[in-house]
Amino acid sequence: MPQNKTFIFNDKIVLLLSALVAIITFTISGFFIRFQVTLNDFWGVLYYAKHLSISEPASLYNGFFPIGYPFLLRFIPYSYVTYFAFILNIAFAGLFVGWISSLFFLMKKSTWGLVTVVLVTIFYPLIFHYANSVSPDIGAAAFSIGGIYFLWRNEFQDNETNHQTRNNILAGLLFGFSALFRSHGIISSAAILLAYTAVMGIRKIWMKKAVPITL
């Protein structure tokens, strides 16, 4: 009978390694394009960030961009802010690739399949574009994928000694961070939870108390 392959690494190591590969790739591509800022939205967000003030509560609200990303830019001097934004972008893009690759590894223990997923995710045109264009978009996408990863992680683990509550809390936090970066993170998070409910079944989720924790 065919035997299952034994892997010397787990999903956490896959996450770290694939994220590292993505970070190195996007750093090289960033130097190649000389860290061009190609999205006009960034300058509007930067203006919003630099005018945040607790003494003026109205400045904390923006009708288009949530406060999460501008808050990170608020404390960076103008002369370094684009470089900081690129470092932030590359870190989020690395997490995006890492979480997707790790989730795939949980579902299918295939080395070549994993390599393919990592490369396709890194060089998929839309992902590659947003990884190299400073904006809150790649951060919102990374947090959403991270939420999906922790939401589904226990379903694909072989052992029963997993940490369901911890993973659900992390999923909820990441969905919340996604909404703090882009408003459509609220809609995408709701859609993800509805899809999870449809696949898993309401009864099973109620038994796990997954929905109340992630919400």
Side-chain angles (χ1 to χ4, degrees):
M1 295 178 63
Q3 297 181 348
N4 295 328
K5 291 183 178 180
T6 301
F7 289 85
I8 61 173
F9 47 86
N10 55 30
D11 61 303
K12 295 178 183 178
I13 296 177
V14 168
L15 194 160
L16 291 174
L17 291 179
S18 55
L20 181 61
V21 171
I23 287 171
I24 292 173
T25 302
F26 293 133
T27 300
I28 293 173
S29 66
F31 276 105
F32 181 76
I33 64 174
R34 298 182 182 180
F35 297 99
Q36 299 294 320
V37 179
T38 59
L39 290 182
N40 291 331
D41 286 346
F42 174 75
W43 303 110
V45 176
L46 182 59
Y47 179 86
Y48 171 35
K50 293 303 180 181
H51 288 79
L52 290 172
S53 175
I54 298 178
S55 61
E56 297 181 22
S59 69
L60 304 178
Y61 173 76
N62 181 286
F64 192 73
F65 289 103
I67 197 173
Y69 187 72
F71 181 79
L72 295 178
L73 301 180
R74 173 67 179 84
F75 307 100
I76 308 301
Y78 273 110
S79 55
Y80 300 104
V81 71
T82 53
Y83 293 101
F84 173 79
F86 258 105
I87 292 172
L88 204 59
N89 246 49
I90 290 170
F92 285 139
L95 286 173
F96 183 90
V97 174
W99 274 321
I100 287 182
S101 304
S102 186
L103 183 60
F104 173 83
F105 181 78
L106 286 172
M107 293 186 291
K108 179 69 174 177
K109 303 293 192 297
S110 169
T111 302
W112 287 111
L114 177 62
V115 171
T116 302
V117 168
V118 172
L119 293 178
V120 169
T121 306
I122 289 175
F123 293 106
Y124 184 74
L126 194 61
I127 297 172
F128 194 83
H129 169 74
Y130 279 106
N132 287 282
S133 304
V134 291
S135 77
D137 295 313
I138 191 66
F143 287 133
S144 292
I145 291 296
I148 294 172
Y149 168 75
F150 284 108
L151 191 63
W152 282 97
R153 189 177 181 217
N154 293 311
E155 308 302 332
F156 296 107
Q157 288 181 322
D158 297 329
N159 60 73
E160 297 297 329
T161 60
N162 46 45
H163 305 280
Q164 180 74 46
T165 301
R166 182 199 63 186
N167 288 342
N168 288 332
I169 292 174
L170 289 173
L173 287 174
L174 290 171
F175 287 142
F177 288 148
S178 175
L180 284 175
F181 268 59
R182 289 305 301 264
S183 298
H184 54 245
I186 300 173
I187 305 300
S188 64
S189 298
I192 290 166
L193 289 173
L194 285 174
Y196 180 78
T197 302
V199 172
M200 298 302 299
I202 296 176
R203 180 179 177 82
K204 185 174 182 179
I205 292 175
W206 175 255
M207 293 298 293
K208 289 183 176 183
K209 302 297 188 295
V211 171
I213 292 171
T214 53
L215 290 177

